[in-house]
Amino acid sequence: MLNQLWSKKPLDKLMRESSDEGNQLKRSLSATSLVALGIGAIIGAGLFSLTGIAAAEHAGPAVTISFVLAAVGCAFAGLCYAEFASMIPIAGSAYTYSYATMGEFVAWIIGWDLVLEYALGAATVAVSWSRYLLEFL
């Protein structure tokens, strides 16, 4: 039972499942589109509302340093994804990559972390849009 938690999905099985009919994703976004999507998500809620408030009330000019540190962290995360994508050449996410490299238990934790991340992102956007609506009203 405990060994099953650490079982990894073999790469050949992942490749076979991804090549089955009906399991393939159609590539429709270019690199430019993906970068624009990411920038749009950042600008959409956080950049103009939350960081300005934090800078005015707490950080002052140190907010620039926090942006530089966040950019370095994002660069390292991008390098990690590039490494995983070169090891496992299928369309996947952190869940797929962790399932193939670290096992089912770690993949389960990462899957729930992704759900929490998306929920937190949606909450941040909701707070920002409600603030915009409140100011408008």
Side-chain angles (χ1 to χ4, degrees), residues 6-111:
W6 300 105
S7 65
K8 300 174 188 173
K9 188 175 254 190
L11 184 58
D12 58 339
K13 186 174 181 180
L14 278 171
M15 298 291 286
R16 200 171 41 252
E17 287 176 356
S18 69
S19 65
D20 288 344
E21 191 66 34
N23 287 343
Q24 295 180 347
L25 299 174
K26 181 183 174 193
R27 294 182 185 202
S28 60
L29 295 176
S30 66
T32 306
S33 299
L34 289 173
V35 169
L37 184 66
I39 291 172
I42 292 168
I43 292 174
L47 189 61
F48 292 126
S49 59
L50 299 178
T51 55
I53 294 168
E57 294 177 0
H58 304 292
V63 75
T64 306
I65 296 170
S66 70
F67 276 124
V68 171
L69 290 174
V72 170
C74 289
F76 284 136
L79 289 172
C80 288
Y81 270 106
E83 178 71 22
F84 282 137
S86 66
M87 287 177 12
I88 305 168
I90 59 171
S93 67
Y95 175 82
T96 305
Y97 299 144
S98 61
Y99 200 160
T101 58
M102 293 178 269
E104 188 173 356
F105 181 67
V106 174
W108 182 81
I109 290 173
I110 288 177

Side-chain angles (χ1 to χ4, degrees), residues 117-131:
E117 175 189 351
Y118 297 146
L120 186 64
T124 305
V125 171
V127 166
S128 296
W129 279 104
S130 65
R131 185 176 297 131

